[in-house]
């Protein structure tokens, strides 16, 4: 399988796409306005302790208080939860945590790490079990556990790495998990990173001791740096970046930690944006549609709700063998199982998911569909769990949720339809305008473009990006102007070319446009 990472970066936003055999399978993005905090370490103050739900609310300086459950208290604080490490070999059984009211008091200061961003009305979730990720190791200062990534599947290599790691982990020094990138790790690199992470933890403790709660103690690596650190290994064939500064930083990092991978790093130099060139914008557009077509002719309907995500499978135009309808149903369900696993990753859907496959009379067929679904979910970096087919013929599953889905992050509820639909947010619309202008510049056909937007979008640009038009004009060499138009929809824009103000919007919207 060919696997590659594509990175599109600017000062305003960063996108990372993962492709497998040319198919987009995972998409991540970050903007300054998103308020992402997963992995950040805070010195917080306990606002309230709630014995009834065995949880506490912790002020970390954000708009919403963070949620801390008793099961996420470390042994040092008084809990005894399992180690924070998705790459460990399974999750260890949690020791029984003492009642949270016996451990925490209102006003107490705590060092916590964010494990889940704020979603909808819920604040972020935190843990006191701090784990520090490096390139090859995850360091757990309050543990003596030694674990090996499940993706390192060679028994001899696992044994070698475990033996090397155990030599480092002595009483009180802190446990480790050897990450996927640690395969074939040398003793020297292991020792160097272990010592580096221990020094980092010491610095965190010192800073926390001198700080007043609430305070940010350490920020997690931003999107691009984190992806290169956590994902880019020999299992990926290539990394392509369209930003020279980001390319320089990635090369410097890889040269220091894994120089054998340097020849897999490439810079995109075409005038056409990287995601357009790779055809990814079209796949991004499809990831927001309710209906996903299957190769067989059937389709899947994905409907997010407040409580769960429902997925419905239909045969659609696929008729298959008229004399063997069970075969037609089985083929459609198998196609759907593969596609659903991809769509959950691509859309970053988390929480409870209920899948309504087409009813099958054969138990063997139901088992095959469940096995197919679980097999493809095995490629997902997020933790997933699936149950057997229920009495109603449904498959229930859960997927780890650490941040809002792409739909939640890039859109907002539509005020006109009282929440039954969604609108693209102003930042999302501005970025799409930028991509359209870059496409127009790449053709060489345009000289002067007027952009018309809804007044709320124009106001957003004035408040947050006052130099947007000037900066984009300098980058593209076009004469640009932006004006508000109260007759426009909030999620609409128009591009008008030349003195005649010819509408050229459709020409440059591209496959991935949000209009």
């Amino acid at each position: 399988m060919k696997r590659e990472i594509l990175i599109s970066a600017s000062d305003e936003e960063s996108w990372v796409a993962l492709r497998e055999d040319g198919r987009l399978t995972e998409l991540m993005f970050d903007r300054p306005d998103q308020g992402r905090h997963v992995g950040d370490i805070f010195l917080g103050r306990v606002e309230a302790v709630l014995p009834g739900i065995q949880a506490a609310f912790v002020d970390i300086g954000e708009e919403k208080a963070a949620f801390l459950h008793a099961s996420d208290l470390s042994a040092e604080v008084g809990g005894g939860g399992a180690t924070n490490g998705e790459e460990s070999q399974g999750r260890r059984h949690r020791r029984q945590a003492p009642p949270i009211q016996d451990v925490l008091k209102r006003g107490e200061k705590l060092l916590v790490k964010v494990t889940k961003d704020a979603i909808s009305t819920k604040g972020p979730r935190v843990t006191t079990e701090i784990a520090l990720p490096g390139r090859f190791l995850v360091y757990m200062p309050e543990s003596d556990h030694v674990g090996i990534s499940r993706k390192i599947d060679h028994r001899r290599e696992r044994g070698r790495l475990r033996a090397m790691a155990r030599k480092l982990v002595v009483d009180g020094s802190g446990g480790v998990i050897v990450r996927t990138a640690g395969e074939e790790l040398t003793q020297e690199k292991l020792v160097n990173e272990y010592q580096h992470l221990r020094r980092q933890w010491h610095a965190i403790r010192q800073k926390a001791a001198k700080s007043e709660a609430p305070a940010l103690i350490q920020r997690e690596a931003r999107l691009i740096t984190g992806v290169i650190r956590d994902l880019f290994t020999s299992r990926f064939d290539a990394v392509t970046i369209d930003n020279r500064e980001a390319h320089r930083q990635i090369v410097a990092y890889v040269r220091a930690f894994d120089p054998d991978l340097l020849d897999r790093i490439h810079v995109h130099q075409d005038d056409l944006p990287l995601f357009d060139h790779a055809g990814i914008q079209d796949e991004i557009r499809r990831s927001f549609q309710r209906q996903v077509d299957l190769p067989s002719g059937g389709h899947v309907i994905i409907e997010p709700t407040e409580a769960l995500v429902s997925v419905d499978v239909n045969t659609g135009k696929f008729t298959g063998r008229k004399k063997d309808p069970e075969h037609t149903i089985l083929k459609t369900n198998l196609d759907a199982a593969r596609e659903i696993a991809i769509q959950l990753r691509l859309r970053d859907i988390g929480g409870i998911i209920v899948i309504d496959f087409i009813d099958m009379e054969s138990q063997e067929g139901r088992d095959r569909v469940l096995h197919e679904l679980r097999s493809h979910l095995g490629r997902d970096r997020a933790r997933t769990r699936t149950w057997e087919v229920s009495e109603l013929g449904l498959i229930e599953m859960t997927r780890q949720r650490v941040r809002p889905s792409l739909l939640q992050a890039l859109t907002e509820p539509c005020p006109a339809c009282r929440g039954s639909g969604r609108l693209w947010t102003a930042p999302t619309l501005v970025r799409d305008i930028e991509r359209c202008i870059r496409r127009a510049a790449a053709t060489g056909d345009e000289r002067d473009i007027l952009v018309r937007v809804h007044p709320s979008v124009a106001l957003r640009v004035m408040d947050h990006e006052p130099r947007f038009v000037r900066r984009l004009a300098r980058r593209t060499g076009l004469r640009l102007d932006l004006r508000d138009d109260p007759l426009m929809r909030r999620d609409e824009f128009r591009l008008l070319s030349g003195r005649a103000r010819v509408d050229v919007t459709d020409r440059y919207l591209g496959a991935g446009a949000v209009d």
Side-chain angles (χ1 to χ4, degrees):
M1 177 186 295
K2 182 180 179 181
R3 306 178 72 197
E4 56 185 330
I5 301 173
L6 291 92
I7 299 173
S8 179
S10 68
D11 294 338
E12 293 76 30
E13 65 178 3
S14 299
W15 287 82
V16 175
L18 306 187
R19 293 206 303 187
E20 297 174 357
D21 287 337
R23 174 76 187 273
L24 181 65
T25 57
E26 198 165 337
L27 192 64
M28 296 161 275
F29 90 104
D30 191 23
R31 289 186 191 139
D33 67 335
Q34 288 298 306
R36 299 286 171 84
H37 291 294
V38 170
D40 291 353
I41 297 174
F42 289 87
L43 180 66
R45 178 181 289 108
V46 179
E47 276 191 344
V49 179
L50 307 176
I53 59 173
Q54 283 298 292
F57 287 102
V58 182
D59 179 12
I60 60 173
E62 294 299 304
E63 180 180 351
K64 298 175 183 175
F67 180 83
L68 172 65
H69 192 265
S71 60
D72 290 316
L73 291 170
S74 66
E76 183 177 282
V77 174
T83 314
N84 246 7
E86 70 274 13
E87 296 194 23
S88 61
Q89 256 203 311
R91 297 178 65 84
R92 295 183 294 166
H93 295 292
R94 292 187 182 275
R95 292 173 288 176
Q96 185 63 41
I100 196 167
Q101 63 271 23
D102 295 345
V103 178
L104 297 181
K105 304 299 179 188
R106 188 172 184 273
E108 183 177 349
K109 293 195 295 185
L110 282 178
L111 198 62
V112 296
K113 183 175 183 177
V114 178
T115 58
K116 183 186 294 186
D117 278 324
I119 299 176
S120 187
T121 60
K122 298 179 181 178
R125 183 158 182 165
V126 296
T127 178
T128 63
E129 296 181 293
I130 310 295
L132 303 179
R135 169 69 174 169
F136 307 113
L137 304 174
V138 174
Y139 175 65
M140 301 170 293
E142 297 170 10
S143 170
D144 59 0
H145 175 69
V146 172
I148 308 295
S149 166
R150 290 173 295 181
K151 294 182 180 178
I152 299 177
D153 50 12
H154 297 292
R155 181 178 298 180
R156 182 175 298 178
E157 178 64 8
R158 294 178 66 86
R160 184 185 73 88
L161 292 170
R162 191 180 300 276
M164 285 170 47
R166 287 199 182 281
K167 292 179 182 179
L168 293 177
V169 179
V170 296
D171 291 342
S173 65
V176 296
I177 297 170
V178 179
R179 311 191 72 177
T180 306
E183 193 168 13
E184 300 181 1
L185 185 63
T186 65
Q187 181 74 32
E188 181 182 5
K189 286 185 177 181
L190 178 67
V191 171
N192 287 344
E193 181 152 279
Y194 186 75
Q195 292 176 345
H196 168 72
L197 293 173
R198 287 194 65 187
R199 289 192 298 270
Q200 186 178 339
W201 172 243
H202 181 68
I204 289 171
R205 294 298 295 264
Q206 282 189 322
K207 183 175 180 180
K210 298 175 182 178
S211 301
E212 288 295 325
L216 174 64
I217 302 300
Q218 176 169 291
R219 187 176 295 281
E220 169 64 315
R222 296 300 89 185
L223 175 63
I224 295 174
T225 305
V227 165
I228 296 301
R229 181 194 68 195
D230 298 342
L231 296 182
F232 184 38
T233 67
S234 58
R235 296 169 185 260
F236 280 90
D237 298 276
V239 172
T240 305
I241 310 105
D242 67 0
N243 182 289
R244 290 192 176 276
E245 177 59 22
H247 176 263
R248 184 191 63 78
Q249 294 176 4
I250 291 171
V251 167
Y253 179 86
V254 173
R255 181 178 286 117
F257 288 95
D258 229 339
D260 291 343
L261 298 177
L262 281 172
D263 61 348
R264 305 188 187 199
I265 303 173
H266 312 284
V267 62
H268 177 73
Q269 299 181 2
D270 198 295
D271 289 337
L272 194 65
L274 173 60
F275 278 21
D276 282 358
H277 184 268
I280 286 179
Q281 287 297 144
D282 186 43
E283 295 190 74
I284 293 175
R285 177 185 59 81
R286 288 199 298 268
S287 72
F288 290 100
Q289 295 177 348
R290 292 174 61 252
Q291 179 171 316
V292 181
D293 294 329
L294 301 174
S296 60
H299 60 265
V300 171
I301 302 293
I302 301 174
E303 288 280 11
T305 71
E306 189 71 21
L308 50 81
V309 175
S310 69
V311 182
D312 187 38
V313 180
N314 299 291
T315 54
K317 299 177 180 178
F318 182 53
T319 56
R321 301 177 184 174
K322 295 183 179 180
K323 295 183 179 180
D324 190 0
E326 187 70 12
H327 177 271
T328 301
I329 292 171
L330 177 60
K331 178 171 175 53
T332 303
N333 281 342
L334 290 174
D335 284 349
R338 290 187 288 268
E339 187 62 37
I340 289 167
I342 291 175
Q343 290 297 323
L344 295 182
R345 288 175 63 190
L346 179 57
R347 301 173 187 230
D348 202 8
I349 293 173
I352 300 172
I353 300 155
V354 178
I355 307 172
D356 185 10
F357 285 103
I358 304 169
D359 290 339
M360 292 177 291
E361 297 180 1
S362 164
Q363 182 62 44
E364 180 184 356
R366 290 194 290 269
D367 291 342
R368 281 188 62 185
V369 171
L370 181 59
H371 178 269
E372 188 77 6
L373 178 64
R374 286 174 171 169
S375 174
H376 286 270
L377 287 173
R379 301 177 184 176
D380 198 338
R381 292 189 298 129
R383 289 192 301 272
T384 61
R385 185 179 178 187
T386 55
W387 280 262
E388 300 291 334
V389 180
S390 72
E391 293 182 2
L392 294 176
L394 307 174
I395 290 182
E396 300 167 2
M397 64 168 289
T398 61
R399 184 175 184 272
Q400 180 188 22
R401 177 166 55 186
V402 297
R403 64 185 66 85
S405 68
L406 282 178
L407 180 68
Q408 291 173 311
L410 294 172
T411 67
E412 59 190 5
C414 172
C417 60
R418 299 183 181 181
S420 62
R422 299 185 70 87
L423 293 175
W424 300 105
T425 63
T428 301
L429 206 67
V430 172
R431 298 283 74 81
D432 201 53
I433 290 171
E434 183 172 2
R435 283 188 285 270
C436 287
I437 296 297
R438 290 178 61 190
R439 292 187 192 111
T443 66
D445 296 336
E446 307 296 339
R447 295 291 180 270
D448 185 340
I449 291 181
L450 169 66
V451 183
R452 288 195 176 275
V453 296
H454 187 272
S456 65
V457 178
L459 183 61
R460 200 274 175 191
V461 172
M462 291 172 58
D463 289 344
H464 294 84
E465 299 184 52
R467 299 183 179 178
F468 170 72
V469 174
R470 187 183 307 172
R471 171 182 56 79
L472 191 55
R474 186 174 64 251
R475 288 182 181 178
T476 61
L478 300 178
R479 290 190 297 273
L480 301 176
D481 193 11
L482 184 143
R483 297 179 189 173
D484 65 326
D485 184 345
L487 298 180
M488 303 285 288
R489 299 195 316 267
R490 287 178 58 184
D491 63 343
E492 177 189 21
F493 66 86
R494 309 308 297 174
L495 305 181
L496 307 178
S497 175
R499 293 183 178 180
R501 298 306 185 206
V502 177
D503 191 332
V504 293
T505 313
D506 293 341
R507 186 184 307 173
Y508 302 118
L509 272 174
V514 300
D515 185 56

